[in-house]
């Protein structure tokens, strides 16, 4: 089909790569993949009453909000690869990168052995049950921050599988943040395997960063801090310790924070660097030049009153090749691909954001039209 | 324009809208405080199936009450099941929005039967000041 400039691009006209979709990962599903004693732990958790993304000992958080009538409608889950494929078809998504549901909170566990066992089980289960290239379902290796050496081994093991296209770095409740040198084995393995690291946060109230959220009165004010502030803090620490300098071939992706904070981060860091370059002695150039090489997923896509402001925002960080579509399906704040496609971007930028940038980054072939 | 019989008045209860389809257009018919309204089953935000969401109320506060939180508009607020955007079922307007509103169709009651005319909308849809799909 030949498109003229008057015909707006439709979802059928572009490749849609969704860099963030979520699989339901209940403890009982992972139990067969984990060693004792944790297998018994997950079996026990599997028999206990479970609430949506709120399982003590598995997906812990402090739920402090009273329920508001009828506002608990968005608790969708995807339970099978087949269901995921069908729902991504409904959304016109060609390829999806899989992230967990409950294990978004894995960084909070103080027991490194348990966290590492969960990570290994999740990766094995994902490879076994979910990663299906023929269905366009690709995995991100879960890198458990509590045991970086074990995480590095997981990256090397699953990174050799063409079905895994990235490394998932948990962000919520993380301590220390991802810039710390203790995580170097993870970055080294990811760079070696040619896999981007993908930072992904989640709503969480916990004494680790981002903390002090317990006195905030609603999700409305808490949610942006849990996501965008957490991503920013991790980016700052990664710049500070020179991750992009020490691992120049490592691609870094920020998921579920939108894009509008990126210019602030660049300009603020450049300002600080001008005054205090010894604070980041490894940097060879101003921080913004490294930030411009990072990748940023659209969801939750900004909805400014003047939509063209979003296009201008992307230009501010030279983001035409760095912005990736993500839906966050099936979570409450998912974005339909239509929403992003219909933003007032030029056709070339739409194609890049919806899929071409991700195909290049994730080294994936374009799907063959059926 | 096609005039579609939806059902008897009694068959459309508050909080239990009827969904009717004509020529690929799906419309939800609601009863609110004894009045009937019909809206296109497509949310102006991201085109979710808005008419399949719950009918409820919302939280608000006013200076006159010292900003005390109050549950208001009970039975009059339609929540989109996708992103819980709120619409006033009597007016079709998004509550505290940017001017977004649901596409409305004429409804009439005749001889105890409810009819909706699905064709040219009674009220043109508005996406407010957003550019959405």
């Amino acid at each position: 089909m030949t498109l003229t400039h008057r015909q707006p691009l439709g979802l059928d006209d572009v490749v849609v790569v969704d860099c963030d979709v979520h699989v339901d990962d209940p403890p009982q599903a992972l139990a067969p993949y984990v060693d004792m004693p944790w297998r018994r732990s997950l079996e026990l958790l599997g028999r206990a009453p479970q609430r949506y993304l709120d399982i003590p000992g598995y997906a812990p958080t402090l739920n402090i909000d009273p329920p508001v009538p009828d506002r608990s409608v968005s608790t969708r889950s995807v339970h099978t690869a087949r269901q995921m494929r069908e729902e991504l078809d409904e959304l016109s998504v060609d390829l999806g990168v899989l992230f967990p549901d409950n294990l978004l909170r894995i960084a909070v566990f103080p027991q490194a052995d348990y966290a590492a066992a969960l990570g290994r089980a999740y990766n094995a289960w994902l490879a076994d049950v979910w990663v299906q290239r023929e269905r366009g379902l690709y995995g991100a290796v879960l890198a458990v921050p509590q045991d970086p050496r074990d995480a590095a081994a997981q990256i090397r093991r699953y990174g050799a599988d063409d079905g895994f296209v990235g490394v998932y770095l948990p962000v919520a409740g993380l301590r220390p943040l991802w810039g710390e040198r203790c995580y170097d084995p993870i970055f080294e393995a990811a760079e070696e395997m040619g896999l981007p690291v993908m930072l992904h946060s989640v709503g969480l109230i916990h004494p680790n960063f981002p903390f002090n959220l317990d006195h905030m009165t609603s999700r409305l004010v808490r949610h942006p801090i849990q996501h965008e502030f957490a991503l920013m803090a991790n980016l700052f620490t990664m710049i500070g310790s020179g991750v992009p300098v020490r691992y120049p071939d490592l691609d870094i992706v920020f998921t579920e924070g939108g894009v509008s904070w990126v210019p602030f981060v660049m300009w603020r860091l450049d300002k600080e660097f001008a005054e205090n370059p010894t604070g980041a002695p490894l940097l060879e150039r101003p921080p913004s030049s490294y930030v411009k090489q990072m990748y940023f997923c659209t969801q939750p896509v900004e909805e400014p009153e003047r939509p063209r402001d979003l296009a201008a925002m992307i230009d501010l960080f030279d983001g035409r090749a760095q912005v990736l579509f993500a839906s966050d399906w099936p979570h409450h704040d998912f974005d339909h691909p239509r929403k992003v496609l219909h933003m007032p971007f030029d056709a070339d930028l739409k194609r890049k954001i919806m899929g071409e940038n991700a195909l290049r980054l994730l080294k994936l072939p374009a799907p063959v039209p059926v | 324009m096609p005039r579609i019989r939806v059902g008897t008045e009694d068959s459309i209860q508050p909080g239990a809208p009827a969904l009717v389809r004509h020529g690929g257009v799906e419309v939800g018919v609601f009863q609110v405080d004894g009045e009937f309204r019909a809206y296109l089953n497509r949310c102006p935000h991201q085109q979710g199936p808005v008419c399949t969401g719950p009918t409820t109320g919302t939280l608000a506060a006013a200076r006159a009450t010292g900003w005390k939180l109050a549950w208001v508009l009970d039975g009059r607020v339609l929540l989109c099941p996708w992103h819980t955007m709120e619409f006033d079922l009597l007016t079709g307007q998004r509550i505290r929005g940017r001017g977004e509103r649901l596409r409305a169709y004429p409804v009439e009651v005749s001889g105890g039967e409810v009819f909706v005319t699905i064709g040219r909308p009674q009220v043109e849809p508005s996406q407010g000041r957003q550019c959405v799909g």
Side-chain angles (χ1 to χ4, degrees), chain B residues 22-72:
Chain B
H22 177 80
V25 176
E26 193 165 56
V27 171
V29 182
F30 298 81
Q31 191 213 125
V32 192
D33 296 337
E35 296 187 37
F36 290 90
R37 296 287 187 275
Y39 298 109
L40 181 66
N41 186 21
R42 195 163 69 200
C43 183
H45 177 224
Q46 293 202 17
Q47 302 185 24
V50 62
C51 295
T52 63
T55 299
T56 182
T58 191
L59 271 179
R63 181 182 295 277
T65 58
W67 304 113
K68 185 179 178 186
L69 287 182
W71 184 249
V72 298

Side-chain angles (χ1 to χ4, degrees), chain A residues 136-192:
Chain A
L137 303 179
Y138 290 87
V141 188
L142 168 50
V144 171
Q146 293 92 330
D147 190 341
R149 293 197 181 282
D150 199 62
Q154 290 283 294
I155 292 166
R156 290 191 173 91
R157 174 173 180 176
Y158 291 99
D161 178 338
D162 288 342
F164 282 82
V165 294
V167 174
Y168 156 46
L169 302 186
V171 165
L174 178 72
R175 181 176 177 163
L177 301 183
W178 279 111
E180 282 294 319
R181 297 292 296 262
C182 65
Y183 299 125
D184 283 358
I186 291 175
F187 299 131
E188 192 177 309
E191 186 184 52
E192 177 188 315

Side-chain angles (χ1 to χ4, degrees), chain B:
Chain B
M1 284 186 290
R3 183 170 175 265
I4 311 292
R5 178 186 173 275
V6 182
T8 63
E9 275 187 273
D10 292 344
S11 69
I12 305 167
Q13 291 295 313
L19 283 176
V20 295
R21 182 183 283 273
H22 177 80
V25 176
E26 193 165 56
V27 171
V29 182
F30 298 81
Q31 191 213 125
V32 192
D33 296 337
E35 296 187 37
F36 290 90
R37 296 287 187 275
Y39 298 109
L40 181 66
N41 186 21
R42 195 163 69 200
C43 183
H45 177 224
Q46 293 202 17
Q47 302 185 24
V50 62
C51 295
T52 63
T55 299
T56 182
T58 191
L59 271 179
R63 181 182 295 277
T65 58
W67 304 113
K68 185 179 178 186
L69 287 182
W71 184 249
V72 298
L73 300 175
D74 195 31
R76 199 174 140 176
V77 176
L78 176 64
L79 284 189
C80 181
W82 274 14
H83 300 96
T84 59
M85 192 172 271
E86 301 176 329
F87 296 91
D88 183 338
L89 273 169
L90 280 182
T91 66
Q93 294 277 344
R94 178 184 166 197
I95 296 169
R96 295 172 290 210
R98 295 173 174 171
E100 303 94 328
R101 62 174 176 255
L102 302 173
R103 177 181 291 197
Y105 294 90
V107 192
E108 59 182 302
V109 180
S110 176
E113 304 275 344
V114 179
F115 297 88
V116 59
T117 301
I118 298 178
R120 192 176 179 79
Q122 186 179 36
V123 177
E124 290 295 333
S126 170
Q127 298 173 341
R129 297 170 65 185
Q130 287 182 282
C131 174
V132 292

Side-chain angles (χ1 to χ4, degrees), chain A residues 21-22 78 80-88 130 137:
Chain A
V21 298
H22 291 271
V78 184
T80 65
R82 180 178 179 174
Q83 180 194 353
M84 180 67 84
R85 186 60 263 166
E86 289 172 356
E87 294 181 359
L88 294 185
W130 283 93
L137 303 179

